[in-house]
Amino acid sequence: LTTAFTKSLALQHPIALAPMGGCAGGALAAAVSNGGGLGLVGGGRGDREWLERELALVTKQIVRPWGVGFLTWAVDTDIVFWALEHEPAALMLSFGDPSPFAERVRNAGVKLIVQVTTLDEAKRALESGADVIVAQGSEAGGHGGRRATLPFVPAVVDLVSPTPVLAAGGIADGRGVAAALVLGAAGALVGTRFQTSHEALVPPHVVKALLDGRGADTERSRVLDIARGVPWPEQYTARVLRNPFLESWRGREDELSHDTAVQQTYREAAARHDLDVISVWAGEALDLITEAAPAADTVAELVAGAERALASVGNS
Ligand SMILES: Cc1cc2nc3c(=O)[nH]c(=O)nc-3n(C[C@H](O)[C@H](O)[C@H](O)COP(=O)(O)O)c2cc1C
């Protein structure tokens, strides 16, 4: 499955690991890249100590192109510029204005990938010189916007052509990858499915919750971000596994934002990893995720499944 994305980054397969903050560490990124996809370390808001450890791991284990991603609205320019010194092949920026970083990334000879949730963001990404644009639908696990993957991806493809687009949100098997390619995308960016990979920095009881969970058990919410005290811009809600804490605060977000006692309770529950309270980010594709596996096996399965799906179209 050769595409403009695989050609531009010299990859074997049109599959990218979503740079999931904290859980896509160096081992997971290396496993996806060594499996022929693009592994992206989840740099999140830019915790330098975490990044030092995980980037050292990825550069030690990797034999193929890899990258690192950050939350645009939250990361300092210094951390992004420091990450460039580790010579990633790609740097991904999501959720916010990429322009303060773009020139420096390009001048370092690093491909700039920008994840977008609206057509206006896609236009801005294009203007800032993105090499690859990720069109993310609201089925996605974790933070994002309101558009659905199926109509949003081709609209972005039409807007930014010939810049390659990756589809994200709700893709967890080969049929989803095939669908992305048919929509005109040059590949798929996959998050939730890789959260259950053996190499992911995800505790076993969270992996079990993901494997047991269903798409219908997820919803988009701001409740858990408010409780965590993380000031996400309001337009980006997070898709999470519903839990009793979320249920009890849904619709009372303003009240929660002023309730420091409950925020303290949340922090204590987080320290105990109490799943009745803390957020487990997960997408609608959970129905399709039934087994934990090594990430390279998942890359191979996604590609083989996509090839099968594409070959069988119209033959059933
Ligand atoms: C646990 C988790 C953490 C995430 N963290 C980030 C992040 O730090 N930065 C980012 O750009 N996207 C993040 N995302 C969103 C992904 O980039 C991607 O859009 C999404 O996972 C794709 O949808 P899927 O989960 O259905 O595969 C996260 C997603 C999940 C599931």
Side-chain angles (χ1 to χ4, degrees):
L1 296 175
T2 302
T3 69
F5 171 62
T6 60
K7 283 189 213 150
S8 102
L9 276 147
L11 305 171
Q12 264 181 303
H13 305 305
I15 306 288
L17 162 70
M20 296 177 285
C23 78
L28 181 57
V32 170
S33 282
N34 289 336
L38 180 68
L40 290 160
V41 174
R45 287 179 278 164
D47 176 337
R48 171 93 181 227
E49 205 179 302
W50 187 90
L51 278 161
E52 270 174 11
R53 189 178 62 240
E54 300 303 326
L55 293 183
L57 259 182
V58 82
T59 46
K60 196 158 72 189
Q61 295 183 16
I62 213 105
V63 293
R64 292 173 189 271
W66 64 280
V68 55
F70 293 101
L71 298 173
T72 321
W73 66 269
V75 72
D76 281 344
T77 44
D78 286 356
I79 287 282
V80 173
F81 301 157
W82 166 82
L84 290 172
E85 292 168 17
H86 293 74
E87 301 184 350
L91 190 130
M92 178 162 154
L93 295 170
S94 305
F95 314 125
D97 180 7
S99 51
F101 309 91
E103 195 180 338
R104 192 75 173 259
V105 175
R106 275 200 314 276
N107 288 346
V110 174
K111 299 281 184 204
L112 176 62
I113 306 178
V114 178
Q115 179 158 240
V116 303
T117 62
T118 65
L119 290 179
D120 284 345
E121 287 181 354
K123 194 160 166 279
R124 188 173 62 186
L126 194 64
E127 285 163 2
S128 74
D131 297 291
V132 177
I133 294 179
V134 181
Q136 187 218 44
S138 68
E139 297 94 319
H143 289 86
R146 297 166 175 221
R147 299 298 312 272
T149 304
L150 190 67
F152 185 52
V153 170
V156 174
V157 168
D158 289 346
L159 183 71
V160 306
S161 172
T163 303
V165 171
L166 300 182
I171 299 171
D173 67 12
R175 294 169 297 182
V177 176
L181 297 175
V182 172
L183 291 174
L189 178 116
V190 177
T192 301
R193 173 82 195 261
F194 283 119
Q195 253 186 300
T196 61
S197 297
H198 292 171
E199 298 88 347
L201 297 173
V202 177
H205 70 293
V206 174
V207 171
K208 182 172 181 329
L210 291 166
L211 295 176
D212 292 347
R214 300 296 177 121
D217 303 331
T218 70
E219 71 180 61
R220 303 204 74 89
S221 175
R222 294 180 55 233
V223 165
L224 297 161
D225 282 331
I226 294 170
R228 294 190 303 149
V230 181
W232 269 87
E234 269 193 48
Q235 69 267 33
Y236 303 120
T237 56
R239 186 174 288 284
V240 293
L241 271 181
R242 199 173 295 121
N243 65 19
F245 184 87
L246 191 160
E247 305 255 17
S248 69
W249 286 98
R250 186 190 299 117
R252 296 195 291 142
E253 284 81 356
D254 280 348
E255 195 186 328
L256 178 61
S257 64
H258 295 109
D259 194 331
T260 48
V262 176
Q263 292 169 22
Q264 178 58 27
T265 310
Y266 185 93
R267 279 191 286 275
E268 286 161 16
R272 295 194 303 276
H273 299 287
D274 181 348
L275 295 189
D276 283 347
V277 178
I278 62 167
S279 43
V280 171
W281 293 331
E284 284 206 35
L286 273 189
D287 301 300
L288 308 171
I289 305 171
T290 53
E291 260 178 359
D297 291 1
T298 300
V299 173
E301 186 208 306
L302 289 169
V303 175
E307 284 171 344
R308 265 198 319 274
L310 291 168
S312 70
V313 171
N315 296 333
S316 59

